[in-house]
Amino acid sequence: GQYTAFNASLVAESKTKFAKASCNTTHSLAFREVGKRYAHRLNSERVKSYQIAKVLGIEAFTVSLKGMGALDADGKPTDRLKTLQAGFLAGQVIVAIRRFCQSADPKITTAHLKYIDGIEGSETKGENNAKVRDYLLPFCERAWADMVDTNGTLPFSHDVYVKIWQLGTGQDRPVIAADYILLDEYQDTAPVFVSILQQQTQALIILVGDDNQRIY
């Protein structure tokens, strides 16, 4: 058997109670299979957003806040422009990568980019956010290509190798070698690991959780 949970202290406690089941955090299972190849990328020096923008080739992006400008000589509203700096946009890309890694989705899309407050005019109705998302998607894809590269240079987190494991296919698909898998604190389990469990067709899956104790 295999006991697993997100919380490391819970797993440590469980090791004293289970005699016939291995006990591991969800991240350690992924590290054993995939993460060890990326160990050298973990705990790297912090990289500032403007540096990430330079690596990815992100430039400042300007949107028009229609209906939010001053009135012209004829009394009609003029457009006011707002420029999103490259560093800020790079930060949005990194957040999108994090959201993608926690999801069960097969590829990164504009849906993983957060809605940006303060960039819509009274007449745009979400158009500016859509334009920014379309602009940033290629950079999100470029960032993910860097993540899956063992020689990549962007900041790398533990969630990334879990996602890489989840997306594996064929001989690289995620396999947990057990007849039964016990997942504790299911309410705090990210969709990415639920997807990994759903691929364990050889095992009995037991999920234990309580929505009223949700923390994450």
Side-chain angles (χ1 to χ4, degrees):
Q2 175 69 60
Y3 171 92
T4 184
F6 174 80
N7 192 298
S9 61
L10 192 59
V11 170
E13 178 186 350
S14 298
K15 287 181 178 180
T16 67
K17 299 179 179 180
F18 284 98
K20 295 184 178 181
S22 299
C23 299
N24 300 88
T25 62
T26 52
H27 280 83
S28 68
L29 289 172
F31 184 84
R32 184 172 62 194
E33 300 299 326
V34 173
K36 57 188 177 185
R37 300 202 300 264
Y38 297 88
H40 61 286
R41 293 192 61 180
L42 294 166
N43 303 319
S44 57
E45 292 184 8
R46 186 170 181 175
V47 181
K48 294 184 177 180
S49 294
Y50 77 87
Q51 295 172 307
I52 294 174
K54 188 174 182 179
V55 169
L56 295 176
I58 299 174
E59 297 180 352
F61 190 84
T62 300
V63 294
S64 175
L65 306 183
K66 295 180 181 178
M68 302 293 285
L71 299 179
D72 61 17
D74 297 324
K76 296 180 180 180
T78 59
D79 290 347
R80 181 157 61 91
L81 302 179
K82 185 175 183 66
T83 299
L84 304 176
Q85 298 302 319
F88 172 80
L89 294 173
Q92 298 302 303
V93 169
I94 296 303
V95 170
I97 292 292
R98 183 163 61 244
R99 296 176 73 180
F100 172 58
C101 287
Q102 294 171 349
S103 76
D105 301 330
K107 65 178 182 178
I108 194 163
T109 69
T110 55
H112 298 108
L113 287 156
K114 290 181 63 177
Y115 183 91
I116 303 173
D117 292 320
I119 67 168
E120 299 295 343
S122 60
E123 301 175 8
T124 57
K125 299 179 181 179
E127 295 173 8
N128 286 341
N129 266 278
K131 289 178 182 178
V132 173
R133 286 173 175 171
D134 288 341
Y135 172 68
L136 290 181
L137 181 58
F139 299 110
C140 291
E141 294 170 338
R142 192 174 300 172
W144 181 246
D146 180 280
M147 295 296 176
V148 300
D149 186 352
T150 54
N151 296 316
T153 59
L154 293 178
F156 190 96
S157 71
H158 292 275
D159 286 344
V160 175
Y161 63 73
V162 175
K163 185 64 179 180
I164 293 172
W165 192 37
Q166 179 242 340
L167 293 176
T169 58
Q171 293 183 339
D172 293 328
R173 79 173 185 87
V175 175
I176 300 175
D179 297 313
Y180 62 91
I181 302 170
L182 310 168
L183 174 65
D184 208 350
E185 302 295 342
Y186 173 60
Q187 76 278 358
D188 283 331
T189 301
V192 62
F193 194 72
V194 175
S195 173
I196 290 171
L197 288 181
Q198 290 172 335
Q199 298 182 58
Q200 309 310 308
T201 55
Q202 84 289 349
L204 172 66
I205 310 294
I206 302 171
L207 312 175
V208 180
D210 181 356
D211 281 342
N212 295 314
Q213 297 186 47
R214 180 170 293 164
I215 298 174
Y216 303 104

